[in-house]
């Protein structure tokens, strides 16, 4: 009850203008990575109300079929492409599939991701934590955006980077693998932003706070933390696509960003 009250303040409800959304999205092809559950599934569910074509990417065929069924029920169409984004070869196959069918892509929602919360001591024998988070959170989306830039450019399309608020905060203990990989992709995107603009490709980034999905489920400490619902996160993502801004973050984020900056200054002195 108490958390609900805090959540309502931290994450006020957002609403979509349905008519504007239909006008904007109708007939568009939208590729969503990590579409089988969590935030990706919530984006697919809402977007499917606007008669779009969805290309749904993740590893779980069964869950993707469920999302496809929702899209069809909502009068949209969907193709599913089962891909393990840890595997470069499978990313190449996805790219080939798109090119072979001469698909157009209007919007790429780069959402698939993996989070790891682990101390340095526990990470010592776990180099693979870093290769895996880097592959999924950084290198796979780099490979996809490089390959899809010409298609997005033809369509005057958009790349939506589903990032995390902790990318904007100072580095935090136990988050090295996750924070480094998410920051790497954010830097890559921001570095390319002006060149994408010249190619008629817009970059938009959503710096999400904690969202109630499977990603945070293994971490007991988050059970009582105020967090956003995945549908609310998806609404914010879609609102950003519809709006003119290039990024979105929670209204209160300037406070931890500023406090973090000063704490870092003090911390570094010791
Ligand atoms: N939840 C949060 O608190 C939070 C906060 C800030 C930012 N984010 C960001 O939001 C995005 C979505 O997170 P979420 O919370 O919705 O996570 P989630 O519920 O765990 O969903 C992750 C999605 O990524 C897919 N995925 C995982 N590994 C994959 C792989 N190797 N190849 C292809 N797809 C893979 C999963 O599908 P399969 O398992 O079927 O492959 C699933 O569809 C991530 O980029 C995350 O960094 C989340």
């Amino acid at each position: 009850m108490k958390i609900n009250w805090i959540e309502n303040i931290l994450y006020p409800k957002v609403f979509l203008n349905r008519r504007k959304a239909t006008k904007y999205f109708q007939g568009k092809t939208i590729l969503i990575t990590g579409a089988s559950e969590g935030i990706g599934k919530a984006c697919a569910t809402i977007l499917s109300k606007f008669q779009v074509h969805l290309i749904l990417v993740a590893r779980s065929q069964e869950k993707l079929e469920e999302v496809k069924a929702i899209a069809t029920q909502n009068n949209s169409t969907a193709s599913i492409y089962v891909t393990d984004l840890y595997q470069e070869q499978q990313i190449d196959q996805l790219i080939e599939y798109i090119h072979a069918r001469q698909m157009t892509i209007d919007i790429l929602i780069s959402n698939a991701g993996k989070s790891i919360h682990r101390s340095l001591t526990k990470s010592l024998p776990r180099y693979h934590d870093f290769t895996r988070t880097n592959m999924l959170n950084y290198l796979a989306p780099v490979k996809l955006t490089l390959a899809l830039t010409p298609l997005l450019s033809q369509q005057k399309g958009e790349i939506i980077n589903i990032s995390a608020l902790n990318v904007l905060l100072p580095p935090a203990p136990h988050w090295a693998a996750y924070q480094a990989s998410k920051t790497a992709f954010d830097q890559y995107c921001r570095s390319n932003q002006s060149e994408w603009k010249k190619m008629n490709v817009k970059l938009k980034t959503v710096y999400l706070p904690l969202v109630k999905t499977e990603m945070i489920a293994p971490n007991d400490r988050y059970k009582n933390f105020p967090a956003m619902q995945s549908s609310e996160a998806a609404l914010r993502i879609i609102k950003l696509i519809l709006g003119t801004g290039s990024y979105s973050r929670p209204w209160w984020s300037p406070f931890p960003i500023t406090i973090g900056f000063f704490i870092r200054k003090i911390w570094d002195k010791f």
Side-chain angles (χ1 to χ4, degrees):
M1 201 58 181
K2 196 173 155 205
I3 288 190
N4 279 346
W5 179 77
I6 299 170
E7 282 171 351
N8 288 340
I9 293 177
L10 294 179
Y11 313 120
K13 291 238 170 302
V14 292
F15 299 94
L16 285 185
N17 179 330
R18 214 186 150 83
R19 202 187 300 173
K20 186 178 171 187
T22 307
K23 198 170 161 206
Y24 189 82
F25 288 115
Q26 199 168 34
K28 289 205 159 123
T29 300
I30 304 166
L31 190 155
I32 308 175
T33 65
S36 61
E37 58 187 327
I39 296 160
K41 178 180 180 180
C43 284
T45 304
I46 299 173
L47 286 167
S48 70
K49 293 176 183 160
F50 307 117
Q51 291 166 30
V52 294
H53 178 65
L54 298 171
I55 305 176
L56 307 169
V57 175
R59 290 169 302 180
S60 161
Q61 171 137 21
E62 208 181 320
K63 288 181 186 169
L64 287 177
E65 295 283 3
E66 279 171 28
V67 182
K68 182 178 174 174
I70 296 171
T72 312
Q73 246 174 28
N74 286 340
N75 290 327
S76 279
T77 52
S79 323
I80 60 174
Y81 201 87
V82 176
T83 312
D84 183 348
L85 294 168
Y86 287 135
Q87 311 293 334
E88 271 198 49
Q89 217 186 353
Q90 292 194 25
I91 306 173
D92 287 333
Q93 284 163 359
L94 166 64
I95 294 163
E96 270 168 41
Y97 164 85
I98 291 166
H99 285 303
R101 279 162 186 74
Q102 297 182 326
M103 285 179 162
T104 55
I105 311 258
D106 297 285
I107 303 173
L108 164 65
I109 303 185
S110 179
N111 166 75
K114 177 181 176 58
S115 154
I116 291 182
H117 178 260
R118 188 160 285 133
S119 69
L120 177 60
T121 314
K122 287 190 178 149
S123 299
L124 294 180
R126 296 181 62 94
Y127 171 65
H128 60 276
D129 279 353
F130 295 84
T131 54
R132 296 183 108 209
T133 43
N134 255 305
M135 191 61 212
L136 190 57
N137 298 343
Y138 176 40
L139 295 173
V142 166
K143 200 168 179 43
L144 265 184
T145 51
L146 291 177
L148 299 184
T149 289
L151 294 187
L152 289 163
S153 175
Q154 274 168 23
Q155 297 301 111
K156 297 193 173 146
E158 292 166 66
I159 295 169
I160 315 301
N161 171 18
I162 308 306
S163 192
L165 181 59
N166 76 3
V167 163
L168 302 176
L169 302 175
H174 298 191
W175 287 106
Y178 182 65
Q179 211 169 0
S181 59
K182 294 297 275 188
T183 303
F185 187 60
D186 186 57
Q187 289 286 329
Y188 159 85
C189 286
R190 285 164 59 194
S191 184
N192 286 333
Q193 187 163 16
S194 59
E195 288 178 81
W196 273 327
K197 198 173 174 189
K198 285 185 198 144
M199 297 175 186
N200 288 318
V201 178
K202 272 189 220 151
L203 165 73
K204 296 193 173 184
T205 305
V206 186
Y207 297 102
L208 287 173
L210 205 59
V211 184
K212 288 175 191 167
T213 65
E214 276 308 302
M215 182 173 275
I216 66 164
N219 202 329
D220 274 347
R221 59 157 56 193
Y222 289 140
K223 286 213 167 83
N224 297 317
F225 249 69
M228 202 185 262
Q229 299 293 339
S230 56
S231 56
E232 282 292 319
L235 280 174
R236 280 169 168 79
I237 292 163
I238 294 165
K239 213 171 162 77
L240 179 70
I241 301 175
L242 285 172
T244 50
S246 64
Y247 69 90
S248 117
R249 61 188 196 187
W251 65 264
W252 43 264
S253 62
F255 299 110
I257 292 170
T258 314
I259 293 165
F261 175 80
F262 288 110
I263 287 180
R264 180 91 200 266
K265 288 243 168 226
I266 297 163
W267 190 270
D268 285 349
K269 285 205 162 42
F270 296 100

